[in-house]
Amino acid sequence: MTADAYCPAPVRLPTARERLPTVAVPTIALFTGALALGSFATWLSLVRQVPAWATVGLHTIAVVGMFVVLHECVHHSAGRLTWVNAVMGRLATPFVSAFGAFPAARHLHLHQHRHGREHLTAWDVRGPAWLLPLRWLTMDLWHVVTYLRRSDARPQLEVAEALAMLVLVPGTLVAVVGTGNAWSLFVVYLLPQRLALAALAWWYDWRPRRQAPGTRGYPEAHRRCPRLPFYRYPEAWQAEKTEAGPAAGEPAGEFHRLTVSEVRPLTSQAVLVTFDIPEELRAEFRFRPGQHVELRAVVDGEELRRRYAICSWPGEDRLGIAIKRVGRFSGYATGTLRPGDEIDVRPPAGGNALAPDSRHVVGLAAGIGIAPLLPMLAHALAAAPRARATLLYVNRRSEDTMFAAELTELARRFDGRLRVLHFRTDERDQDLRPARRPLPNIADALAICDERYYPGRLSAGQLRELLGRRLHPAKVDEWVLSAPADLAGVARNVLAEHHVPASAIHVEQFH
């Protein structure tokens, strides 16, 4: 089994996963400013100190401001507090749409992000040029229709709120018209809202699809970094200019002949292979947690190449990789390779770097998937004294668990900042009966408190339960999935259900 780094986008903004404040003051300020501007324009129009048409521009600007606020809340970027995003999103929605509801809008927009550049409908991006402006004016109505067509698969409370808003807001507008204020309603509310939607549809949907790939701008930046707050884009672009490294697909360099210094059994089927790095190659073999190296060897007259995740700590003079016996190359490495042997190794490449200021990282590993995760979590905890990490680790039984002792030592070392939840598919495993395990001293007892053991494979239901409590998406900055495709797929689906943005999820692909 080998681990390949997976990058969801060719370029990632450096600040895309930075930790949000409890409440984003700029978003609150934008909401307050848009509300104040709209109220001022309404006052001007109603007291007729200026012609009614002259206030349409001010109202339109206010609606655009409310749209940005709504957009931030959809991506949970108005702060870490879930209720703040929910309340502010619901308050902003009626200004932007006379038909929509916040949960429905959130579902539709995040669905679009999960499917890349695919659009929900062709309503506002294709069609005759003369018809497009008319479609942009009614964009929100068409999205409501799209949501209702999918409502059978959505939660009942979400659908109920969408239907309630579809009745409440239009019903209120009809009541206002019945009082003889149709013109004021049109000038103050309906016309500015339609103009704002048309402008946003042109800017967000139609125009970006006709620009060259990689063109800088708010829509393109948001596509790559959905949860990045709007007020951090200028800083992010500047950081990209100064910190951009090689593209993910660039070659890692030439192979070098390295000497095996140790081959240590991890389980009955896996070994830890360690290489000494000569002083003249240490700069070239410097790595960051999560990267991999490619090995090359001639086995039975055939040249074989495989990539393996690095499981050493950054700064060490030796390079270690974990290899599990699942194929010809791994069979050679686990059965034939001995200390003193030489093998061709290509310098480190790939990898998903964690943001240095992440406060809570959650890792999901199964079997050998722990290899890239272990140094990533350890490095994140060592680099930030206030950081926390949670590891969900799936194995068959204790004898198959790689780096079990290292994990226990890390839990002790970081004094409660690392929590490990073990899932054992063999329900007869001895670790599932902790009462029979001896506790030599108090320190061991305290360490065990940071490790929990659960019978069975990690299921979607268990993961949903964790996301509803300790691992609520608002409390987690980044997720790292290092597991076979079936388990990683279940995790990604559950995370998507809970509106975790794709930019906060890193995946180590297994082949």
Side-chain angles (χ1 to χ4, degrees):
M1 182 177 294
T2 61
D4 258 348
Y6 169 78
C7 183
V11 179
R12 185 185 296 280
L13 293 182
T15 56
R17 301 181 303 275
E18 69 173 86
R19 184 171 175 80
L20 292 170
T22 303
V23 176
V25 175
T27 307
I28 298 290
L30 179 60
F31 176 84
T32 304
L35 184 61
L37 179 61
S39 300
F40 175 69
T42 300
W43 177 78
L44 290 178
S45 176
L46 295 181
V47 300
R48 301 186 183 279
Q49 291 188 2
V50 296
W53 57 265
T55 67
V56 171
L58 295 178
H59 279 113
T60 302
I61 294 173
V63 174
V64 171
M66 285 296 184
F67 172 83
V68 175
V69 172
L70 170 62
H71 195 245
E72 293 289 290
C73 295
V74 161
H75 287 283
H76 208 289
S77 297
R80 296 198 305 273
L81 298 177
T82 301
W83 70 268
V84 170
N85 287 270
V87 170
M88 196 179 307
R90 285 176 168 86
L91 291 175
T93 300
F95 291 93
V96 179
S97 172
F99 311 103
F102 173 68
R106 178 176 58 195
H107 162 70
L108 291 175
H109 188 70
L110 295 181
H111 175 89
Q112 180 178 339
H113 274 285
R114 288 195 293 270
H115 291 78
R117 297 183 71 91
E118 175 191 344
H119 204 260
L120 288 168
T121 70
W123 182 254
D124 53 359
V125 294
R126 299 191 186 96
W130 65 270
L131 186 59
L132 285 176
L134 298 177
R135 292 182 172 184
W136 297 340
L137 291 170
T138 56
M139 176 179 63
D140 58 333
L141 182 58
W142 186 252
H143 280 194
V144 169
V145 173
T146 304
Y147 176 80
L148 293 177
R149 289 174 176 172
R150 304 178 177 200
S151 59
D152 290 345
R154 301 304 302 159
Q156 292 183 354
L157 288 178
E158 182 183 282
V159 176
E161 182 174 344
L163 294 175
M165 294 300 294
L166 189 58
V167 173
L168 179 62
V169 178
T172 302
L173 299 182
V174 170
V176 172
V177 171
T179 63
N181 294 295
W183 173 249
S184 297
L185 178 67
F186 177 77
V187 174
V188 170
Y189 182 72
L190 291 177
L191 180 59
Q193 185 183 83
R194 298 300 106 187
L195 292 176
L197 286 177
L200 290 166
W202 173 81
W203 187 47
Y204 255 119
D205 291 335
W206 188 86
R207 181 172 173 268
R209 285 166 173 76
R210 283 154 181 80
Q211 292 179 319
T215 301
R216 290 189 172 184
Y218 184 83
E220 177 64 18
H222 175 67
R223 183 185 68 82
R224 290 185 285 166
C225 307
R227 204 180 177 188
L228 187 67
F230 74 95
Y231 53 87
R232 301 306 297 266
Y233 281 112
E235 178 183 338
W237 286 125
Q238 184 60 35
E240 184 183 277
K241 290 179 183 178
T242 58
E243 299 179 12
E250 289 186 3
E254 299 298 326
F255 283 98
H256 295 276
R257 199 80 170 167
L258 299 183
T259 302
V260 176
S261 59
E262 182 184 11
V263 179
R264 175 166 68 90
L266 294 174
T267 69
S268 60
Q269 299 291 318
V271 297
L272 175 65
V273 179
T274 306
F275 300 93
D276 282 326
I277 306 299
E279 186 173 355
E280 65 272 15
L281 294 178
R282 288 176 185 172
E284 191 171 356
F285 275 84
R286 187 176 296 117
F287 64 91
R288 67 175 184 269
Q291 289 191 297
H292 64 264
V293 292
E294 184 176 3
L295 274 59
R296 180 177 66 184
V298 176
V299 179
D300 297 330
E302 180 183 356
E303 180 181 289
L304 300 178
R305 299 186 183 189
R306 291 294 183 273
R307 284 184 288 184
Y308 295 98
I310 300 172
C311 50
S312 302
W313 264 241
E316 291 185 347
D317 295 335
R318 301 198 304 172
L319 186 146
I321 58 173
I323 302 178
K324 185 176 180 180
R325 187 183 302 140
V326 291
R328 290 183 62 196
F329 190 97
S330 59
Y332 157 77
T334 57
T336 305
L337 211 56
R338 296 290 183 270
D341 291 347
E342 294 184 340
I343 193 170
D344 292 334
V345 183
R346 177 172 276 172
N352 291 306
L354 297 175
D357 55 353
S358 291
R359 297 287 294 278
H360 189 189
V361 178
V362 176
L364 168 59
I368 199 170
I370 191 64
L373 256 182
L374 188 63
M376 292 174 74
L377 297 181
H379 181 70
L381 293 170
R386 299 182 62 184
R388 296 183 298 118
T390 301
L391 174 63
L392 312 178
Y393 193 14
V394 182
N395 288 281
R396 184 181 178 187
R397 55 182 181 266
S398 58
E399 293 82 2
D400 300 325
T401 303
M402 296 191 296
F403 300 111
E406 286 82 352
L407 283 171
T408 299
E409 179 59 32
L410 284 176
R412 294 173 178 172
R413 173 185 170 188
F414 291 113
D415 193 23
R417 293 195 291 130
L418 172 62
R419 179 179 174 85
V420 184
L421 307 184
H422 294 275
F423 295 85
R424 299 287 166 77
T425 57
D426 186 348
E427 298 190 5
R428 299 168 298 176
D429 185 73
Q430 61 180 359
D431 283 335
L432 298 176
R433 299 185 294 275
R436 301 183 182 180
R437 301 174 63 195
L439 300 178
N441 51 52
I442 296 297
D444 286 343
L446 293 176
I448 291 175
C449 290
D450 294 319
E451 294 187 78
R452 295 287 187 269
Y453 298 85
Y454 300 92
R457 185 179 178 86
L458 177 62
S459 66
Q462 289 171 307
L463 189 54
R464 289 189 185 99
E465 183 179 354
L466 289 169
L467 286 168
R469 299 184 289 107
R470 181 180 294 272
L471 302 184
H472 191 282
K475 301 177 182 179
V476 179
D477 298 304
E478 300 188 84
W479 303 76
V480 187
L481 311 181
S482 186
D486 56 345
L487 181 56
V490 168
R492 294 187 76 172
N493 290 337
V494 173
L495 293 176
E497 290 174 8
H498 288 73
H499 309 296
V500 175
S503 60
I505 304 173
H506 313 282
V507 180
E508 296 287 334
Q509 296 280 58
F510 280 76
H511 305 280

